Amino acid sequence: MAHVLTLIETTPAGAAGDSAGELLAAASRLGTPVAVAAVAPGGGEPLVAGLASLGAQHIHLAESEHVGRLVGAAELEALAVAAAALEPAAILVPHSVLGREVAGRLAARLGAGLAIDAVDVRGEDRRTVATHSVFGGAYTVESTVEGGLPVITLRQGSVEDRAPAVDAPTVTREAIPADPGRFGTITAIREPSAASSRPPLRGAEKVVSGGRGLGSKEEFVLVEQLADALGAALGASRAAVDAGYVDQSAQVGQTGVTVSPKLYVALGISGAIQHRAGMQTAKTIVAINKDPDAPIFEVADFGVVGDVFTVVPQLMESLKEVAR
Ligand code: FAD
């Protein structure tokens, strides 16, 4: 089977990033999954067991001085070197800030085709077909690269399955070239201080979002309470952010975070196209809105026409009873 490379993003502490599992699962559908990680010289050993458990058949550790110093330089070089050695059928990269930077440069470097923000991939007639949710989620389209290598960025949270664990992956380690070319310089790395124990929005399995319908910052606490009752991440519409109900980091949509959770609960959100662009690929959408004509109901799997201040407390009561 052909190799399929995946770019493993690492945390500042050197662990595999959240996207590793789904990239390897997607790669395993297309061929032999290869994990490629850029690591500091001598580093990367703690990654091996985790990547094997996520289904990496081969683990390619590319040592570079530029890890943590230049944005994407080491990752780009790591993938380029692995691609030259393994002649992969496809290269999968997270659709993150770093992943997008690397994917564009890599496609230009390799003369490959670039398919961005895929929500699914599959193999068909020896080609890789990427699925994309476009125009605010209104259309689902497919892309292929004809006669060349596809570099595909995969939206985080879009692949649910996981590849079976691998007992003894092959591990290769290689020092990669020192000349970086022009890249952004990293002057400091600061871990965001966890403001709460809730899961991070990006990649969350469950998201509870609130909109302008909550009416005030004080009332927005209801959204937080339901998120906590469900163990969900907290999201918001832009109108709720602009009104100061919640921090901008919670904004879901075209100009916020794109999520693909298993469950998305929209409270007092009308469902404008710019909001839907960031959540429409959620597996199950539940909407509570007092306007029966709110556009959010067009994409909801379950809709409740009602006042959030009546319905949500009842919902939380029912959740408590189920938990008893
Ligand atoms: P509204 O549209 O005001 O809807 C509030 C809803 O709450 C209504 O449907 C109402 O019926 C309901 N409601 C009111 N009270 C209650 C109650 N007590 N109980 C139940 N329901 C109630 N928006 C985003 O969300 N994310 C983006 O990333 C984003 N990017 C944008 C980019 C551009 C370039 C532009 C132009 C706009 C963008 N927007 C974005 C804004 C977007 O167009 C909408 O204005 C916004 O999503 C509306 O937020 P909302 O649904 O909370 O507010």
Side-chain angles (χ1 to χ4, degrees):
M1 268 207 293
H3 291 107
V4 177
L5 305 188
T6 59
L7 174 62
I8 305 301
E9 283 194 58
T10 54
T11 66
D18 292 339
S19 54
E22 52 189 316
L23 287 173
L24 288 164
S28 71
R29 294 183 206 157
L30 305 172
T32 303
V34 181
V36 179
V39 298
E45 216 46 55
L47 281 174
V48 172
L51 293 174
S53 73
L54 293 171
Q57 301 263 2
H58 301 293
I59 299 171
H60 187 81
L61 299 175
E63 295 185 344
S64 168
E65 304 271 333
H66 304 308
V67 171
R69 296 188 183 165
L70 295 175
V71 181
E75 289 79 4
L76 171 65
E77 215 55 59
L79 283 173
V81 167
L86 297 173
E87 297 185 357
I91 301 178
L92 305 183
V93 174
H95 191 71
S96 59
V97 173
L98 177 73
R100 294 193 299 255
E101 170 87 16
V102 172
R105 288 175 181 256
L106 182 69
R109 167 92 73 94
L110 301 179
L114 181 62
I116 61 155
D117 198 16
V119 293
D120 204 5
V121 289
R122 66 173 200 279
E124 192 178 278
D125 300 334
R126 297 171 158 223
R127 294 179 312 174
T128 300
V129 181
T131 306
H132 311 260
S133 175
V134 300
F135 294 129
Y139 294 91
T140 300
V141 298
E142 293 184 337
S143 71
T144 56
V145 172
E146 297 296 330
L149 171 68
V151 174
I152 301 169
T153 70
L154 193 66
R155 186 183 294 183
Q156 197 171 343
S158 51
V159 174
E160 271 185 67
D161 54 311
R162 291 293 175 266
V166 172
D167 284 341
T170 52
V171 181
T172 51
R173 187 179 271 283
E174 186 173 4
I176 51 175
D179 178 17
R182 280 185 290 172
F183 286 87
T185 307
I186 299 170
T187 52
I189 295 178
R190 230 177 322 123
E191 286 276 26
S193 54
S196 78
S197 54
R198 289 187 198 106
L201 184 55
R202 228 174 266 277
E205 292 205 339
K206 296 180 222 165
V207 176
V208 176
S209 287
R212 185 156 34 202
L214 272 296
S216 70
K217 188 178 168 72
E218 291 67 36
E219 300 289 10
F220 201 84
V221 170
L222 190 69
V223 185
E224 298 175 17
Q225 287 169 345
L226 182 60
D228 292 342
L230 290 168
L234 184 70
S237 70
R238 178 159 147 182
V241 169
D242 290 349
Y245 303 169
V246 62
D247 189 75
Q248 201 276 332
S249 58
Q251 184 179 319
V252 171
Q254 186 183 319
T255 44
V257 176
T258 299
V259 295
S260 261
K262 288 184 182 157
L263 173 68
Y264 188 87
V265 183
L267 306 177
I269 292 178
S270 60
I273 186 119
Q274 296 89 353
H275 186 78
R276 285 157 49 168
M279 46 66 74
Q280 195 153 339
T281 53
K283 311 294 173 295
T284 302
I285 298 171
V286 178
I288 303 174
N289 195 306
K290 66 181 185 187
D291 175 5
D293 296 323
I296 193 74
F297 290 127
E298 290 166 18
V299 293
D301 299 282
F302 299 97
V304 180
V305 179
D307 190 317
V308 286
F309 300 109
T310 311
V311 179
V312 174
Q314 288 172 358
L315 178 58
M316 287 197 289
E317 222 18 74
S318 304
L319 287 170
K320 269 191 213 148
E321 271 173 32
V322 172
R324 268 185 213 131

